[in-house]
């Protein structure tokens, strides 16, 4: 599967440019989304952002552990590939880009279904671009996606099912908003 996807790279300049953007820069759209959702000043969006960030912390810790336990060279280290972007020759498994994009996308999906579908599509395109550009195997991005989604579900369930995390989150947002509303009045 890797070869089938990666062999198409370098043959379609317009698609290559899109894939380079997706691999190198599209993750910044997720960071921007977190900021925009936070500053809409809607309480539900703020809960979503906090849960997305908590999910990301969980997912990246697990991903780091997995990368040490199951180290695998990147495709461009182990094989002759069409490498379309520069990348360090570090651990390939699991894909951090997939973890990060899917953890935020699925956290959004859990709160806002229509928005979440769009973000999930972008996350899938980022994951695909990492294979296209020769820096990840399909199992790297698939495991990153699964890890991101599962972490989002676990954190969401934690905040939904247990009272004390929900109260802590609500209290933290209350404290933040009491300061924010003094500085920037809500209209």
């Amino acid at each position: 599967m890797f070869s089938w996807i990666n062999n198409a790279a370098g043959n379609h300049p317009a698609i290559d440019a899109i894939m380079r953007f997706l691999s190198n820069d599209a993750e910044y759209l997720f960071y921007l989304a977190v900021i925009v959702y936070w500053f809409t000043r809607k309480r539900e969006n703020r809960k979503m952002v906090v849960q997305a960030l908590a999910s990301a912390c969980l997912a990246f810790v697990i991903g780091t552990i997995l990368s040490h336990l199951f180290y695998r060279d990147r495709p461009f280290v182990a094989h002759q590939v069409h490498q379309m972007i520069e990348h360090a020759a570090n651990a390939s498994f699991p894909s951090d880009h997939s973890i990060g994009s899917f953890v935020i996308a699925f956290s959004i999906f859990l709160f806002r279904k229509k928005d979440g579908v769009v973000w999930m599509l972008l996350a899938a395109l980022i994951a695909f671009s990492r294979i296209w550009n020769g820096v990840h195997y399909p199992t790297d991005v698939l495991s990153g996606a699964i890890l991101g989604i599962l972490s989002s579900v676990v954190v969401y369930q934690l905040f939904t099912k247990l009272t004390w995390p929900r109260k802590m989150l609500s209290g933290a947002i209350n404290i933040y908003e009491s300061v924010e509303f003094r500085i920037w009045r809500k209209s």
Side-chain angles (χ1 to χ4, degrees):
M1 171 128 358
F2 171 81
S3 294
W4 181 73
I5 295 168
N6 181 251
N7 284 340
N11 297 318
H12 311 281
I15 296 173
D16 290 339
I18 292 167
M19 292 299 166
R20 277 193 290 276
F21 167 77
L22 288 166
S23 277
N24 289 330
D25 300 317
E27 71 180 314
Y28 297 110
L29 297 173
F30 285 91
Y31 307 149
L32 180 61
V34 166
I35 293 166
V36 169
Y37 280 120
W38 182 264
F39 285 107
T40 60
R41 302 177 91 181
K42 294 180 180 171
R43 192 158 190 89
E44 201 65 11
N45 286 351
R46 288 186 167 172
K47 289 178 185 178
M48 176 182 71
V49 166
V50 171
Q51 288 184 34
L53 295 176
S55 300
C57 290
L58 174 63
F60 281 118
V61 165
I62 295 169
T64 300
I65 292 167
L66 289 174
S67 73
H68 286 88
L69 292 175
F70 304 103
Y71 184 88
R72 175 169 49 195
D73 283 328
R74 291 192 179 266
F76 61 83
V77 172
H79 308 285
Q80 185 71 8
V81 303
H82 298 273
Q83 186 181 352
M84 305 300 290
I85 60 173
E86 292 294 318
H87 202 289
N90 54 7
S92 182
F93 177 85
S95 165
D96 286 342
H97 278 76
S98 292
I99 292 171
S101 58
F102 275 97
V103 78
I104 293 172
F106 204 75
S107 293
I108 293 170
F109 179 79
L110 291 169
F111 281 83
R112 305 171 62 88
K113 300 293 186 241
K114 288 181 183 177
D115 291 4
V117 168
V118 173
W119 288 108
M120 290 291 288
L121 177 61
L122 180 57
L125 289 170
I126 289 171
F128 181 80
S129 76
R130 305 297 286 175
I131 302 165
W132 180 280
N133 288 316
V135 295
H136 279 293
Y137 295 105
T139 52
D140 300 337
V141 299
L142 182 61
S143 62
I146 291 168
L147 185 53
I149 290 168
L150 289 178
S151 295
S152 298
V153 169
V154 166
V155 169
Y156 181 80
Q157 291 298 319
L158 177 76
F159 281 96
T160 302
K161 304 278 185 201
L162 299 177
T163 304
W164 66 269
R166 196 170 48 249
K167 285 184 178 180
M168 285 181 59
L169 174 59
S170 185
I173 291 174
N174 286 341
I175 292 168
Y176 170 83
E177 287 179 344
S178 70
V179 172
E180 180 192 51
F181 294 160
R182 287 186 198 139
I183 297 168
W184 176 25
R185 297 216 181 272
K186 193 171 183 178
S187 52

